[in-house]
């Protein structure tokens, strides 16, 4: 799993590439927390390159959403593959984290 | 496909590689391969985190693919655990603040599989699951 982040209109876009499972969920969490930084910008998780995520990764997404909310910032996700979208829906995550088609729609949707 | 795993999260990569290879050989859709990998990971992680008292639990995984369905069998010598009755129903509603961490793995498995049966025999958990391919 690789994470890269870039700034866009006051938000940070984090691209996750590869797999997030029970073996690397902690790295995923640490990587996302460090991308939040001290200024507490809102975050877009771009999953275009993510091929797999299990409940261990979903747990991290929820923790990051909670962490951002405490800083009055928001989390959005975008570019989910069909399989990952299904996992989000079964988990009810699509109801608590807004899902967008791509990162530019997500950034404008965050209304920063 | 058969695989014996130690109760260590590092084994998940070996599981994923074996499923990928098997899925390719069987001509599975990427969606089916994803689903089987997810279900097996959730149950294997469950043994690793909850069923593994002395770190010595072993998990045997067997995957059988037929024309229209896939059957999964997991056998482990960890603590007795029936995912059908021993796992609490997770909350899948509620806001970011209200949602609790965890409980999702079993919920995903129950939703994605068409049939699940559990048996405890001779100190082992025996879990059998099937899902239609389509």
């Amino acid at each position: 799993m690789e994470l890269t982040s870039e700034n866009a209109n006051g938000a940070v876009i984090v691209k996750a590439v590869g797999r997030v499972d029970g073996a690397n969920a902690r790295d995923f969490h640490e990587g996302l927390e460090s991308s939040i930084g001290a200024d507490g910008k809102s975050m877009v998780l771009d999953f275009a390159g993510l091929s797999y995520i299990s409940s261990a990764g979903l747990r991290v997404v929820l923790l990051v959403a909670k962490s951002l909310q405490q800083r009055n910032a928001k989390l959005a996700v975008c570019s989910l593959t069909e399989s990952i979208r299904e996992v989000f829906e079964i988990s009810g995550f699509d109801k608590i984290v807004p899902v967008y088609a791509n990162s530019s729609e997500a950034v404008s949707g965050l209304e920063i | 496909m058969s695989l014996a795993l130690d109760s260590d999260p590092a084994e998940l990569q070996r599981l994923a590689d074996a499923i990928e290879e098997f899925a390719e050989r069987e001509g599975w859709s990427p969606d089916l391969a994803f689903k089987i990998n997810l279900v097996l990971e959730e149950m294997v992680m469950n043994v690793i985190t909850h069923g593994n008292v002395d770190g010595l639990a072993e998990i045997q995984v067997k995957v059988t693919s037929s024309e229209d369905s896939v059957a999964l069998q997991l056998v482990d010598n960890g603590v007795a655990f029936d995912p059908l009755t021993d796992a609490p129903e997770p909350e899948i509603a509620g806001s970011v603040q209200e949602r609790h961490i965890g409980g999702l793995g079993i919920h995903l498995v129950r939703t994605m599989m068409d049939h699940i049966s559990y048996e405890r025999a001779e100190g082992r958990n025996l879990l059998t699951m099937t899902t239609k391919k389509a």
Side-chain angles (χ1 to χ4, degrees), chain B residues 11-120:
Chain B
E11 292 277 73
L12 293 176
Q13 188 60 53
R14 207 155 65 85
L15 175 67
D17 291 344
I19 294 164
E20 193 181 346
E21 194 186 318
F22 187 72
E24 201 170 312
R25 204 161 61 220
E26 295 288 333
W28 288 358
S29 68
D31 192 49
L32 180 64
F34 183 107
K35 188 160 93 168
I36 298 302
N37 193 344
L38 183 94
V39 166
L40 289 175
E41 180 192 325
E42 299 299 348
M43 298 318 302
V44 166
M45 278 304 286
N46 197 60
V47 176
I48 293 172
T49 52
H50 302 298
N52 183 28
V53 172
D54 49 10
L56 295 171
E58 281 183 355
I59 309 147
Q60 284 170 341
V61 177
K62 195 173 162 188
V63 183
T64 318
S65 186
S66 67
E67 198 178 327
D68 57 359
S69 68
V70 178
L72 309 175
Q73 192 188 62
L74 279 102
V75 181
D76 72 82
N77 58 353
V79 173
F81 178 81
D82 180 352
L84 299 171
T85 56
D86 296 345
E89 283 291 334
E91 316 152 63
I92 54 160
S95 67
V96 167
Q97 285 302 335
E98 291 160 353
R99 284 288 297 261
H100 293 290
I101 305 296
L104 279 175
I106 303 281
H107 174 68
L108 287 166
V109 170
R110 283 171 171 164
T111 309
M112 289 178 158
M113 293 287 110
D114 296 321
H115 177 78
I116 304 178
S117 71
Y118 170 82
E119 199 184 326
R120 177 82 179 175

Side-chain angles (χ1 to χ4, degrees), chain A residues 5-14 32-45 64-76 107 110-112:
Chain A
S5 57
E6 60 184 86
N7 289 306
N9 293 338
V12 57
I13 301 173
V14 181
L32 294 183
E33 283 291 339
S34 68
S35 297
I36 294 175
D39 47 358
K41 286 177 183 163
S42 287
M43 180 184 286
V44 174
L45 271 176
V64 169
K66 284 175 185 277
S67 177
L68 285 166
Q69 199 173 64
Q70 280 169 1
R71 301 166 205 227
N72 294 316
K74 295 177 196 165
L75 176 70
V107 170
L110 282 172
E111 293 170 348
I112 299 151

Side-chain angles (χ1 to χ4, degrees), chain A residues 8 16 21-22 26 40 45-46 50 55 63 67 74 76 81 83 91 95:
Chain A
D21 62 20
R26 187 174 295 179
L45 271 176
D46 187 334
L50 193 72
S55 70
L63 287 170
S67 177
K74 295 177 196 165
T81 64
S83 295
S91 310
K95 303 286 195 298

